[in-house]
Amino acid sequence: SRLRQFANAFHNAFILGKQKTGLQNLRAQAAALKQELADKELFKYQREQELRKLQGEKIKLRRQAEVSEKRAKDIYAEVQSVLDSKDEKTAEAKHRRDEAEKRYIEICDENERKRSELQSIVVKHDVRRNELRADIEKLELELRRRTDISETLAVKRAKMEM
């Protein structure tokens, strides 16, 4: 009977140990799940905050768009009113613009003509510079030749005087 009690006690202790281990595992899982839930709730809260912020920005942008659209309509109406009531001034302004464009074209043509003249002068200058360089080279060669002849004559005179 004692052996049986000992076996029952051992068996009960073994089962209790298993239950404690299982309970500890369940508590660890519960803690992990609670942490995961807290993380997800924080993530959800952050996303809700971002959503509220984006919704606020959307409302703000929508209001800005409405204000811009109203302003554009007002400007359009004002411009249309000015155009309707100021046809004469518009025609005068168009005439002035046409005259300005005509003057601009004349100035551009004059500038192009002057550029062509300047280019012609530059080309002539380059040709003249090249001619002068060629003349300088000829003169330098002639000077070297005469210097060589002079030196040769000086050597010959020195030999003859000796």
Side-chain angles (χ1 to χ4, degrees), residues 68-109:
S68 294
E69 187 176 328
K70 184 182 181 320
R71 176 110 171 96
K73 285 179 181 179
D74 292 346
I75 290 171
Y76 178 77
E78 184 179 327
V79 168
Q80 192 62 40
S81 171
V82 167
L83 289 175
D84 291 344
S85 66
K86 306 291 182 181
D87 285 338
E88 186 177 307
K89 287 183 180 180
T90 303
E92 183 182 330
K94 183 180 179 206
H95 176 71
R96 282 193 309 240
R97 186 193 69 203
D98 291 344
E99 289 296 318
E101 286 177 358
K102 183 179 173 183
R103 180 69 183 132
Y104 173 76
I105 290 169
E106 289 171 1
I107 291 171
C108 288
D109 290 344

Side-chain angles (χ1 to χ4, degrees), residues 9-48:
F10 184 76
H11 179 68
N12 287 342
F14 178 74
I15 290 175
L16 184 61
K18 275 184 139 184
Q19 287 176 346
K20 282 184 180 179
T21 302
L23 182 61
Q24 288 173 347
N25 288 343
L26 287 175
R27 284 183 180 155
Q29 285 178 354
L33 288 173
K34 283 179 184 178
Q35 183 60 43
E36 185 179 342
L37 178 62
D39 291 345
K40 288 186 178 189
E41 285 176 349
L42 177 62
F43 181 78
K44 177 185 170 189
Y45 174 77
Q46 290 171 341
R47 292 304 162 268
E48 287 172 347

Side-chain angles (χ1 to χ4, degrees), residues 92-149:
E92 183 182 330
K94 183 180 179 206
H95 176 71
R96 282 193 309 240
R97 186 193 69 203
D98 291 344
E99 289 296 318
E101 286 177 358
K102 183 179 173 183
R103 180 69 183 132
Y104 173 76
I105 290 169
E106 289 171 1
I107 291 171
C108 288
D109 290 344
E110 179 69 17
N111 284 343
E112 187 61 36
R113 186 185 60 75
K114 287 180 180 179
R115 275 193 202 106
S116 295
E117 288 176 11
L118 180 62
Q119 184 62 31
S120 173
I121 291 169
V122 167
V123 168
K124 288 176 185 176
H125 175 72
D126 287 345
V127 167
R128 181 67 182 140
R129 184 177 45 217
N130 290 337
E131 288 172 353
L132 289 173
R133 284 184 183 157
D135 289 346
I136 289 170
E137 287 176 11
K138 287 177 187 177
L139 290 172
E140 286 174 348
L141 286 173
E142 182 64 25
L143 178 63
R144 274 191 235 124
R145 188 181 65 79
R146 287 184 181 187
T147 303
D148 290 344
I149 291 171

Side-chain angles (χ1 to χ4, degrees), residues 46-58:
Q46 290 171 341
R47 292 304 162 268
E48 287 172 347
Q49 291 295 95
E50 288 176 13
L51 180 61
R52 279 190 215 91
K53 182 179 175 184
L54 290 173
Q55 286 172 338
E57 289 176 9
K58 178 182 174 184

